[in-house]
Amino acid sequence: MLSQIKRKAGPEKLVGGLAIATATILTIAGLALVAFSYEGLKTSAEKFQFAASDNVTWTIVQIEVDYQNLRLALSHGLLSAERGEPFDLNAIKQAFDIYYSRIDAGRFIYGAAFSATLDGPGEILNQLAVAKSDIATDIDSWVSPSGNDLAAVLARVDDSAEDVRNFTTQALQVLVADASVEREEHLAILNRYTTLLILVVGLLVGLLAVSWVLQRRLKSRASETLRIADNLQRVIETSQDAVVIADTEGRILEYSKSAEEIFGYTAAEALGAKMETLFIPDRFKEAHRKGMQRYLETGHGKVVNSGRHVMQGCDKDGREFSTEVTIAASKDAYNKQIFIGIMRDISDLIANEVKLQKALETAKCELSAKQRFLAVMSHEMRTPLQGVLATFDLLDDGSVTDEQIALIDLGKRSGMKALDQVNNTLELARLNEDMPVRKTEIINPAASLRNLVALLDPLLLQQGNTIDLVFYPDENIEILGNKRMFDAIFENLLANANKFTRAGHLGVAMEANVRDDNQTDLTIRVQDNGVGIAKEDLDHIFEDFASGHADSGGTGLGLPIVKNATEKMGGEITVDSTVGVGSVFTFKCRFATAPLQDLPALQIEPPRGGPQTDLIIDKPKPRVLVVDDNEINCTLLGLMIQRLECDYECAEDGLLAVEKCRHQSYDLILMDLNMPKMNGLDATSAILDLNIEQGPIVCITAQNDAETLAAVLQVGMTDLLTKPIRLEMLVELLENEAISAPFEKRGQLPSGTATADHNVLDSNTIKNMVAEMGQDYIESVLNQFTLSLTNALVQASDHLKSGQNSDAADVLHSAAGSAGMLGGITLHQTLIGLEDAVRRGLLKKNHIPIQDCHKLLEEFLVEAQSAVVAHSNHSVNNTFQTAEA
Amino acid sequence: MIVERNHQRVPRRMQRRNFLMAAPFIIIGSQFAVAQDAVAPPVTGPVLLTVDGDIATPSEGSAAVFDQQRLDQLPQNEFRTSTIWTEGVHRFSGPTLQGLLDDVGAGSGEIMATAINNYVVDISRSLVEPTTPIIATRIDGMLFSVRRKGPLWIVFPYDSDPLFRSELVYASSVWQLSKLTVLQP
């Protein structure tokens, strides 16, 4: 509607302009005409002003009259003379004089009237003049004329009679013509006047028409404008926002209904008042004035014509509230500057937003509180768990009965499970935190996977599964990423796949695509042909604490950890599964390609000691200082240390530790971090400041993150062990630090300790397995084991031949593990020994005694079979339910 | 335009002027007339002009007669002008008509002028001003004969004012003047 009018305005202006232009042209034309005609009219008018000549008609007629009078006078005189009577000579002379003067006057007058003196009458006059002059000569010579003299003159006068007559008639014609000419001239002048008059009148009419048209337009425009104004008024009145119009001084010119409602002032109160007085709180008044000033001076303002702004306003009661304001600058009908302000009370809006914000924060807080609670709880649980596990370790010192061993195993397994749960919870909590640990290291995915698979071996054996690894295009891929997370993902995936598959097959396929932009796309598929996952469960498997079946065992946290860790790395994890057929988990992620330089791997290959070798270093018993405020920890660690043929001392806080170190040098200091009086970091600094040489200070703590490690290393400690501390870890530590190497253990193989125990078979293991899984299963497992061991021995030999000692050792280690799982103690020990020897390059002739091994294997199998038979007769109901197919 | 003999339309302006200007002269004139009454010298030369009608001081019978001498004794005026009957500019001189009228103690009525050839015209008193017209007795200082429209010619100073160049004035410019008759008002 408004745009329509705006569009019309243009052509309207044009028409108006045209009208005025036309009027102007007409006026100018009229004036020009008048100016042009003026001279002509003036001349014509002047003609009327005065007579150019005397009455010509009278003169013409008088010539004949005076002529006749002369003839008459002469005739009278002659008659008297003939009668002999006296005559009046003066009368005759006078008559002639009159005629004479008439002719002269006539010539002059006629010539003046009709400038063409050579026309007919003019000529005749000239002749008459000549004649009269001749006669004058005669008359002037008279003294006393006789009758004859009179007659002669009369005769001469008579000669002119025809001329006189002709002159009269012709002159008359000339007069007539002239008169008509003159009449025509007059007519012409009249016509000119009339024409001019008509033109002027026409001009007036034209102007009138134009003004009428303009007036009509004006009227319609006025009514249009009125209508628009009316509509706008209505729009303003119905608007829910306050509409206020003010002038440059801030005085309110217009005030809408909504403004009344929002601000409380009535229109009567508001109109004419200053905006700042009514709407703006005191403390903002100055700023408002300044802003207005600035706009008026520069034509630019921060608030004017710059969209919406939130400001504080106040209403009649003095209540302050937030308003959303838009101010536009414009001109009113008289081209004066005005400001149009539209305001909305948004205090409710803001209050709601604040509430929302608070609610969100509360929710976040609660969530993080929940997670922290979990973490704290789990952390707190670790410490007693350490105690539990350590205790079991210590109990298992070789002087236990079979029954006790079984119990210990059970205890250890339960403890491990609990620990698993705690670790996973902590892992998940860590992953859920906003600031994840971003430790970027070089990862060799193939190697990691291989490692994980190796670690999985015993579990695979347990379930009777096989596994294969495929790398495409090859294994030589190195990426940058968080190794811990990477390992966590696949450890969980593999464990899961294994758990839910029985006597089946697992497949791990890695596909790497090294891109041009220094990134690598990694796709890893973990496949199994196990029980599969129901469609309705597929969506939930990644949720925390959701496990396929209530009794399937496990923490239910494995897959959530996988998902979290994957997403933290920027990848995605998907699953495809069919019940009864199997599942495949696909991991996809893009990593940065590791640079080509050979960086030293952060993993340290710990050298191994072994019972079959002579590498037992003969030293005086090493002294170890344990610094921990927890008495139990101290005691347990101490016992472990004693077990390892070392002496120990305890200190329950940092201060005591420093004190002890002043007087004594220790071969190893195990330092806890959180202690009263002085914490581990400070104590370490203090100890190192002492001038007494001490052995390495190793941190023992439940915290296993980058910051702690960094802090620990920075302060001067050499290593960090994570609680719960296991015997193996201490062994490793002591070996690492070349303190002692009484035993060799590696990883967390839940095998029995290897002292001079030459039992071929740990019958308890078999017994348990039968109880758990059933005879058939055991036999299948044993078959698998046979196969795998045979293969392993061959593989190891091959590796040795190609000089890959470490690969060979890995294989042997894996095999040893499997043997251990099944209770083949001797086999286990032998394989471990071999592994060790291979690692140290001490293997005799660099040759694996395959045949010997096979012999041992056969021995084991025989014993195992009999055990199976023996125990399956006592088979107890499965307390351990396997996952149903 | 044909001049009407007996009824002449008078420009209003002239009427007013005449009235204002004439007043003192009428008084003086009448005084003069009274004076003249006592000492009217006899006419010796040929009578050129006869004035009769409503006059106060006739010199012969009911008329006042003037010869050249007497005319020359009246208040004179002269002016240079061209006329529609003559070639070029000439100097006309002679007694003022008003002076003459005053001399004879004329009444306020119109003046009927008669020429030798019996041309008659009524001259409106509004045309008569103190200094114009004159009864020209000399052209360029010389007397002029009947043949040259003399001996007396009522002449107006045509060149000096466009108002003198009207048919009415031309009709009142009587040449070969012989008689003036003051009509009753």
Side-chain angles (χ1 to χ4, degrees), chain A residues 479-496:
Chain A
I479 52 172
L480 294 176
N482 187 316
K483 189 167 197 318
R484 197 172 56 72
M485 281 210 263
F486 187 86
D487 284 350
I489 292 168
F490 293 100
E491 191 179 316
N492 276 295
L493 282 176
L494 288 168
N496 246 41

PDB file of all heavy atoms in Angstrom, chain A residues 479-496:
ATOM      1  N   ILE A 479      50.802 -43.044  12.847  1.00  0.00           N
ATOM      2  CA  ILE A 479      49.915 -41.871  12.986  1.00  0.00           C
ATOM      3  C   ILE A 479      50.183 -41.193  14.321  1.00  0.00           C
ATOM      4  O   ILE A 479      50.852 -41.761  15.196  1.00  0.00           O
ATOM      5  CB  ILE A 479      48.429 -42.278  12.926  1.00  0.00           C
ATOM      6  CG1 ILE A 479      48.151 -43.407  13.932  1.00  0.00           C
ATOM      7  CG2 ILE A 479      48.027 -42.695  11.527  1.00  0.00           C
ATOM      8  CD1 ILE A 479      46.699 -43.735  14.083  1.00  0.00           C
ATOM      9  N   LEU A 480      49.616 -40.012  14.446  1.00  0.00           N
ATOM     10  CA  LEU A 480      49.718 -39.285  15.709  1.00  0.00           C
ATOM     11  C   LEU A 480      48.384 -39.364  16.429  1.00  0.00           C
ATOM     12  O   LEU A 480      47.345 -39.102  15.852  1.00  0.00           O
ATOM     13  CB  LEU A 480      50.070 -37.818  15.451  1.00  0.00           C
ATOM     14  CG  LEU A 480      51.455 -37.570  14.840  1.00  0.00           C
ATOM     15  CD1 LEU A 480      51.637 -36.085  14.545  1.00  0.00           C
ATOM     16  CD2 LEU A 480      52.547 -38.047  15.792  1.00  0.00           C
ATOM     17  N   GLY A 481      48.427 -39.739  17.659  1.00  0.00           N
ATOM     18  CA  GLY A 481      47.182 -39.823  18.408  1.00  0.00           C
ATOM     19  C   GLY A 481      47.452 -40.176  19.844  1.00  0.00           C
ATOM     20  O   GLY A 481      48.601 -40.263  20.297  1.00  0.00           O
ATOM     21  N   ASN A 482      46.384 -40.419  20.569  1.00  0.00           N
ATOM     22  CA  ASN A 482      46.495 -40.787  21.974  1.00  0.00           C
ATOM     23  C   ASN A 482      46.528 -42.305  22.073  1.00  0.00           C
ATOM     24  O   ASN A 482      45.537 -42.983  21.805  1.00  0.00           O
ATOM     25  CB  ASN A 482      45.311 -40.185  22.730  1.00  0.00           C
ATOM     26  CG  ASN A 482      45.458 -40.379  24.218  1.00  0.00           C
ATOM     27  OD1 ASN A 482      45.818 -41.466  24.693  1.00  0.00           O
ATOM     28  ND2 ASN A 482      45.170 -39.337  24.963  1.00  0.00           N
ATOM     29  N   LYS A 483      47.690 -42.809  22.446  1.00  0.00           N
ATOM     30  CA  LYS A 483      47.858 -44.259  22.421  1.00  0.00           C
ATOM     31  C   LYS A 483      46.955 -44.944  23.418  1.00  0.00           C
ATOM     32  O   LYS A 483      46.392 -46.006  23.142  1.00  0.00           O
ATOM     33  CB  LYS A 483      49.323 -44.599  22.717  1.00  0.00           C
ATOM     34  CG  LYS A 483      49.599 -46.067  22.490  1.00  0.00           C
ATOM     35  CD  LYS A 483      51.062 -46.384  22.473  1.00  0.00           C
ATOM     36  CE  LYS A 483      51.337 -47.745  21.856  1.00  0.00           C
ATOM     37  NZ  LYS A 483      50.426 -48.799  22.260  1.00  0.00           N
ATOM     38  N   ARG A 484      46.858 -44.327  24.566  1.00  0.00           N
ATOM     39  CA  ARG A 484      46.054 -44.958  25.602  1.00  0.00           C
ATOM     40  C   ARG A 484      44.629 -45.155  25.124  1.00  0.00           C
ATOM     41  O   ARG A 484      44.022 -46.195  25.303  1.00  0.00           O
ATOM     42  CB  ARG A 484      46.097 -44.103  26.872  1.00  0.00           C
ATOM     43  CG  ARG A 484      45.643 -44.838  28.102  1.00  0.00           C
ATOM     44  CD  ARG A 484      45.893 -44.025  29.360  1.00  0.00           C
ATOM     45  NE  ARG A 484      45.247 -42.717  29.287  1.00  0.00           N
ATOM     46  CZ  ARG A 484      43.932 -42.513  29.372  1.00  0.00           C
ATOM     47  NH1 ARG A 484      43.119 -43.537  29.543  1.00  0.00           N
ATOM     48  NH2 ARG A 484      43.442 -41.311  29.292  1.00  0.00           N
ATOM     49  N   MET A 485      44.092 -44.096  24.523  1.00  0.00           N
ATOM     50  CA  MET A 485      42.711 -44.185  24.053  1.00  0.00           C
ATOM     51  C   MET A 485      42.586 -45.209  22.937  1.00  0.00           C
ATOM     52  O   MET A 485      41.630 -45.997  22.907  1.00  0.00           O
ATOM     53  CB  MET A 485      42.247 -42.811  23.542  1.00  0.00           C
ATOM     54  CG  MET A 485      41.856 -41.884  24.667  1.00  0.00           C
ATOM     55  SD  MET A 485      40.595 -40.730  24.143  1.00  0.00           S
ATOM     56  CE  MET A 485      41.602 -39.340  23.756  1.00  0.00           C
ATOM     57  N   PHE A 486      43.552 -45.177  22.028  1.00  0.00           N
ATOM     58  CA  PHE A 486      43.527 -46.128  20.915  1.00  0.00           C
ATOM     59  C   PHE A 486      43.519 -47.553  21.428  1.00  0.00           C
ATOM     60  O   PHE A 486      42.681 -48.382  21.046  1.00  0.00           O
ATOM     61  CB  PHE A 486      44.740 -45.881  20.021  1.00  0.00           C
ATOM     62  CG  PHE A 486      44.750 -46.682  18.758  1.00  0.00           C
ATOM     63  CD1 PHE A 486      44.115 -46.250  17.630  1.00  0.00           C
ATOM     64  CD2 PHE A 486      45.406 -47.934  18.717  1.00  0.00           C
ATOM     65  CE1 PHE A 486      44.113 -46.994  16.461  1.00  0.00           C
ATOM     66  CE2 PHE A 486      45.404 -48.691  17.550  1.00  0.00           C
ATOM     67  CZ  PHE A 486      44.760 -48.230  16.416  1.00  0.00           C
ATOM     68  N   ASP A 487      44.402 -47.815  22.345  1.00  0.00           N
ATOM     69  CA  ASP A 487      44.474 -49.162  22.910  1.00  0.00           C
ATOM     70  C   ASP A 487      43.196 -49.511  23.634  1.00  0.00           C
ATOM     71  O   ASP A 487      42.705 -50.646  23.529  1.00  0.00           O
ATOM     72  CB  ASP A 487      45.659 -49.263  23.874  1.00  0.00           C
ATOM     73  CG  ASP A 487      46.975 -49.369  23.123  1.00  0.00           C
ATOM     74  OD1 ASP A 487      46.938 -49.549  21.884  1.00  0.00           O
ATOM     75  OD2 ASP A 487      48.040 -49.241  23.767  1.00  0.00           O
ATOM     76  N   ALA A 488      42.682 -48.531  24.376  1.00  0.00           N
ATOM     77  CA  ALA A 488      41.461 -48.783  25.147  1.00  0.00           C
ATOM     78  C   ALA A 488      40.329 -49.210  24.232  1.00  0.00           C
ATOM     79  O   ALA A 488      39.575 -50.137  24.529  1.00  0.00           O
ATOM     80  CB  ALA A 488      41.087 -47.540  25.930  1.00  0.00           C
ATOM     81  N   ILE A 489      40.232 -48.508  23.083  1.00  0.00           N
ATOM     82  CA  ILE A 489      39.144 -48.809  22.149  1.00  0.00           C
ATOM     83  C   ILE A 489      39.219 -50.265  21.712  1.00  0.00           C
ATOM     84  O   ILE A 489      38.238 -51.015  21.810  1.00  0.00           O
ATOM     85  CB  ILE A 489      39.226 -47.885  20.918  1.00  0.00           C
ATOM     86  CG1 ILE A 489      38.918 -46.452  21.316  1.00  0.00           C
ATOM     87  CG2 ILE A 489      38.279 -48.366  19.830  1.00  0.00           C
ATOM     88  CD1 ILE A 489      39.252 -45.447  20.256  1.00  0.00           C
ATOM     89  N   PHE A 490      40.376 -50.652  21.238  1.00  0.00           N
ATOM     90  CA  PHE A 490      40.446 -51.981  20.627  1.00  0.00           C
ATOM     91  C   PHE A 490      40.558 -53.085  21.651  1.00  0.00           C
ATOM     92  O   PHE A 490      40.114 -54.220  21.416  1.00  0.00           O
ATOM     93  CB  PHE A 490      41.563 -52.024  19.588  1.00  0.00           C
ATOM     94  CG  PHE A 490      41.211 -51.139  18.426  1.00  0.00           C
ATOM     95  CD1 PHE A 490      41.757 -49.874  18.318  1.00  0.00           C
ATOM     96  CD2 PHE A 490      40.254 -51.548  17.516  1.00  0.00           C
ATOM     97  CE1 PHE A 490      41.374 -49.047  17.296  1.00  0.00           C
ATOM     98  CE2 PHE A 490      39.851 -50.710  16.491  1.00  0.00           C
ATOM     99  CZ  PHE A 490      40.426 -49.451  16.376  1.00  0.00           C
ATOM    100  N   GLU A 491      41.094 -52.742  22.792  1.00  0.00           N
ATOM    101  CA  GLU A 491      41.111 -53.738  23.875  1.00  0.00           C
ATOM    102  C   GLU A 491      39.676 -54.113  24.192  1.00  0.00           C
ATOM    103  O   GLU A 491      39.344 -55.304  24.295  1.00  0.00           O
ATOM    104  CB  GLU A 491      41.783 -53.101  25.081  1.00  0.00           C
ATOM    105  CG  GLU A 491      42.103 -54.079  26.171  1.00  0.00           C
ATOM    106  CD  GLU A 491      42.787 -53.383  27.319  1.00  0.00           C
ATOM    107  OE1 GLU A 491      43.688 -52.558  27.053  1.00  0.00           O
ATOM    108  OE2 GLU A 491      42.396 -53.634  28.469  1.00  0.00           O
ATOM    109  N   ASN A 492      38.834 -53.073  24.302  1.00  0.00           N
ATOM    110  CA  ASN A 492      37.439 -53.319  24.622  1.00  0.00           C
ATOM    111  C   ASN A 492      36.710 -54.051  23.503  1.00  0.00           C
ATOM    112  O   ASN A 492      35.920 -54.956  23.731  1.00  0.00           O
ATOM    113  CB  ASN A 492      36.734 -52.004  24.937  1.00  0.00           C
ATOM    114  CG  ASN A 492      36.937 -51.590  26.371  1.00  0.00           C
ATOM    115  OD1 ASN A 492      36.469 -52.278  27.284  1.00  0.00           O
ATOM    116  ND2 ASN A 492      37.657 -50.509  26.587  1.00  0.00           N
ATOM    117  N   LEU A 493      36.972 -53.579  22.260  1.00  0.00           N
ATOM    118  CA  LEU A 493      36.276 -54.206  21.134  1.00  0.00           C
ATOM    119  C   LEU A 493      36.636 -55.681  21.027  1.00  0.00           C
ATOM    120  O   LEU A 493      35.780 -56.546  20.820  1.00  0.00           O
ATOM    121  CB  LEU A 493      36.613 -53.488  19.828  1.00  0.00           C
ATOM    122  CG  LEU A 493      35.880 -52.157  19.588  1.00  0.00           C
ATOM    123  CD1 LEU A 493      36.384 -51.505  18.323  1.00  0.00           C
ATOM    124  CD2 LEU A 493      34.378 -52.383  19.487  1.00  0.00           C
ATOM    125  N   LEU A 494      37.909 -55.932  21.175  1.00  0.00           N
ATOM    126  CA  LEU A 494      38.364 -57.327  21.046  1.00  0.00           C
ATOM    127  C   LEU A 494      37.820 -58.172  22.186  1.00  0.00           C
ATOM    128  O   LEU A 494      37.336 -59.294  21.955  1.00  0.00           O
ATOM    129  CB  LEU A 494      39.891 -57.379  21.020  1.00  0.00           C
ATOM    130  CG  LEU A 494      40.534 -56.853  19.732  1.00  0.00           C
ATOM    131  CD1 LEU A 494      42.038 -56.661  19.924  1.00  0.00           C
ATOM    132  CD2 LEU A 494      40.292 -57.816  18.573  1.00  0.00           C
ATOM    133  N   ALA A 495      37.894 -57.600  23.390  1.00  0.00           N
ATOM    134  CA  ALA A 495      37.399 -58.347  24.541  1.00  0.00           C
ATOM    135  C   ALA A 495      35.930 -58.675  24.380  1.00  0.00           C
ATOM    136  O   ALA A 495      35.479 -59.796  24.658  1.00  0.00           O
ATOM    137  CB  ALA A 495      37.632 -57.534  25.803  1.00  0.00           C
ATOM    138  N   ASN A 496      35.219 -57.672  23.869  1.00  0.00           N
ATOM    139  CA  ASN A 496      33.788 -57.873  23.651  1.00  0.00           C
ATOM    140  C   ASN A 496      33.517 -58.965  22.626  1.00  0.00           C
ATOM    141  O   ASN A 496      32.691 -59.857  22.828  1.00  0.00           O
ATOM    142  CB  ASN A 496      33.166 -56.562  23.157  1.00  0.00           C
ATOM    143  CG  ASN A 496      32.206 -56.004  24.148  1.00  0.00           C
ATOM    144  OD1 ASN A 496      32.472 -56.035  25.344  1.00  0.00           O
ATOM    145  ND2 ASN A 496      31.080 -55.536  23.669  1.00  0.00           N
TER     146      ASN A 496
END
